[in-house]
Amino acid sequence: MPDSPRGRHVTVFAALLASLASGAAGCGGSGGPTTLTVLAGSSLTDVAGELGAAYQQEHRDVKVRFVFGGSQEMAERVADRDPGDVLMTADEASMNAVSRHLTGRRRIVALGSLTIAVAPGNPKRIRGLRDLSRRGLRVAVGAGTVPAGRYAREIFTRAGLTVRWTSEEINSRSVLDRVRGGEADAGLVYITDLRSAGAAASSVPIPADENVTATYPAMAVKGTDNEERALPFVTWLTSPTARKLFNKHGFATPATSTTGPPPSGN
């Protein structure tokens, strides 16, 4: 009977169970792991999957999701408040441009350099940088607003070369695609990106004294719901586990856990 003491006790007990279940759901008991969205430069594509899997293995309550694009594009997403918890770029200039939207210590997680991508077998017989100024040669470089393009221009300037490139691309991988597709005879790309081409492209090395060091920083995005989870992930990117994975994919890593100053206004 609903009006009996026993009936009232059953009703109260059922309401209590419902309340407890609702509270557990609100605390994430059935919501699964937190998803960290990492906005990353496209040259990190090959290593990213293993980084995410390794971090998730050590932190079962976190899932890592990468979104790739040009470093400048990823920085613009941060400035536009698009969803993202961590920013990883292929140079510091891209990160400096949005420093007021970032928080925590800046970690230099990887280092790289550039090479000259050519068609398989090097049919144009390119031997070094100076050959890129040869008349009639189709040369692709990154646009001046993206890291790969800025690095390429720095290399040409240091070598005292005037190179009349025939196309400017949004990132290193797009430069590589031009060479692979036969639309360019040569292009300056990250060494780590060239590895992804396999037999579809060859390489002409750039000597160390003529090359540049591409720097890959990482920082947490300020004010997101996952900021407290993003900060330890950025630190983890300098861990021995992460360093081994970067090295496996052709990146160098700093001798120590390099950090930069906090962003201005932080």
Side-chain angles (χ1 to χ4, degrees):
M1 294 292 292
D3 293 331
S4 69
R6 177 180 176 83
R8 286 195 297 271
H9 290 160
V10 170
T11 301
V12 170
F13 183 66
L16 178 60
L17 286 177
S19 176
L20 290 173
S22 176
C27 292
S30 59
T34 298
T35 298
L36 284 181
T37 298
V38 182
L39 305 177
S42 59
S43 52
L44 293 164
T45 300
D46 294 334
V47 69
E50 292 190 50
L51 288 172
Y55 191 75
Q56 290 166 189
Q57 186 70 24
E58 297 178 18
H59 303 80
R60 298 288 188 172
D61 58 340
V62 177
K63 179 180 179 181
V64 183
R65 169 179 172 263
F66 282 89
V67 177
F68 301 103
S71 292
Q72 182 191 28
E73 176 193 352
M74 296 297 99
E76 288 173 352
R77 288 195 180 199
V78 170
D80 292 340
R81 299 295 187 181
D82 286 350
D85 303 302
V86 174
L87 177 63
M88 298 176 68
T89 61
D91 70 345
E92 298 207 65
S94 298
M95 190 160 283
N96 290 342
V98 292
S99 61
R100 65 191 180 92
H101 299 292
L102 305 173
T103 189
R105 304 296 300 187
R106 180 178 299 189
R107 308 280 178 167
I108 306 303
V109 300
L111 304 169
S113 55
L114 277 67
T115 190
I116 303 170
V118 296
N122 193 9
K124 296 295 183 177
R125 299 295 183 264
I126 296 167
R127 295 167 295 177
L129 286 171
R130 279 150 190 80
D131 287 336
L132 298 184
S133 59
R134 189 193 305 163
R135 187 178 297 275
L137 197 70
R138 298 172 300 166
V139 178
V141 298
T145 55
V146 302
R150 287 194 284 266
Y151 290 136
R153 285 159 178 78
E154 183 180 346
I155 287 173
F156 294 149
T157 299
R158 289 173 58 180
L161 293 175
T162 299
V163 177
R164 294 177 175 83
W165 47 80
T166 54
S167 70
E168 295 181 300
E169 307 300 327
I170 59 172
N171 54 48
S172 169
R173 294 209 165 201
S174 296
V175 173
L176 182 60
D177 287 342
R178 287 282 188 182
V179 176
R180 293 176 62 180
E183 300 169 279
D185 301 312
L188 261 63
V189 303
Y190 298 123
I191 291 175
T192 47
D193 281 342
L194 186 77
R195 289 163 58 108
S196 70
S202 296
S203 171
V204 177
I206 301 173
D209 61 347
E210 297 179 345
N211 217 319
V212 296
T213 298
T215 303
Y216 289 81
M219 287 189 76
V221 179
K222 184 188 298 183
T224 71
D225 292 340
N226 295 326
E227 181 179 315
E228 293 305 312
R229 296 292 186 96
L231 290 166
F233 174 74
V234 171
T235 300
W236 179 86
L237 288 171
T238 63
S239 69
T241 298
R243 288 163 64 90
K244 287 179 182 177
L245 292 174
F246 280 119
N247 295 159
K248 174 184 174 182
H249 286 270
F251 293 93
T253 46
T256 58
S257 298
T258 308
T259 64
S264 58
N266 202 38

